[in-house]
Amino acid sequence: MDISLEINGNHEELDVDPGVTLLDALRERLGVTGPKKGCDRGQCGACTVHVGGRPVLSCLTLAATVREPVTTVEGLSVEGEALHPVQQAFADCDALQCGFCTPGQVMSAVAAVEQDVDDVREFMSGNLCRCSAYPNIVAAIEQAAERTRSTADARV
Ligand code: FES
């Protein structure tokens, strides 16, 4: 079937099998390899992307059902090469080791910061890290949240 997707601001037309997941469409058809295929069954969070601004597991989402814009880790930077504040916080806090889980962690972390969640650990519980970088990931999210609040306060 013919589908159209908006990926990181780019309009894409694809001819796909109805059973193709968003993750496979991104990685195998469009060369968008930030989202990772970890478990491929919705248990690890490495494939997390945003659809319509909300984090979703792209391995459990059929490409043909996607109607809203998709953002992957490649599309987070808003100004050219500049890192998104959450990406910068991950770098500042050494919030990764092997890095395989990091694109998914970052996408969930962006949602955590945007929603100003109270319980970061609970919110992030769907994103597993086999290197156990959890303390630094939480520290990065807290840093990004704090900087986002400070920026918002400065604008008031
Ligand atoms: Fe290696 Fe998380 S940094 S799995």
Side-chain angles (χ1 to χ4, degrees):
M1 61 189 295
D2 295 327
I3 64 170
S4 58
L5 296 169
E6 185 183 323
I7 311 292
N8 298 327
N10 298 316
H11 185 78
E12 307 283 357
E13 302 278 347
L14 287 177
D15 177 10
V16 296
D17 184 279
V20 166
T21 64
L22 177 59
L23 177 62
D24 283 342
L26 288 168
R27 291 184 57 84
E28 309 298 333
R29 300 292 303 280
L30 297 171
V32 180
T33 56
K36 297 293 183 265
K37 186 178 280 194
C39 66
D40 206 21
R41 59 177 66 178
Q43 293 179 344
C44 77
C47 67
T48 305
V49 301
H50 288 190
V51 176
R54 295 178 301 281
V56 302
L57 297 169
S58 61
C59 78
L60 293 185
T61 304
L62 295 178
T65 66
V66 175
R67 301 279 180 272
E68 296 177 280
V70 176
T71 306
T72 71
V73 73
E74 289 94 336
L76 275 185
S77 175
V78 283
E79 292 172 14
E81 298 292 307
L83 293 178
H84 183 282
V86 170
Q87 292 173 307
Q88 186 61 57
F90 268 61
D92 292 346
C93 296
D94 288 329
L96 59 140
Q97 290 182 41
C98 79
F100 186 82
C101 71
T102 307
Q105 299 279 2
V106 166
M107 297 311 292
S108 292
V110 168
V113 171
E114 287 176 352
Q115 295 174 31
D116 200 15
V117 298
D118 289 329
D119 191 338
V120 169
R121 288 172 180 78
E122 171 65 24
F123 189 89
M124 296 294 295
S125 62
N127 288 83
L128 305 183
C129 174
R130 61 191 172 189
C131 304
S132 271
Y134 298 113
N136 299 41
I137 291 169
V138 172
I141 295 169
E142 289 173 345
Q143 175 186 302
E146 183 59 37
R147 287 186 180 166
T148 301
R149 278 186 221 110
S150 302
T151 305
D153 290 347
R155 283 203 209 101
V156 174

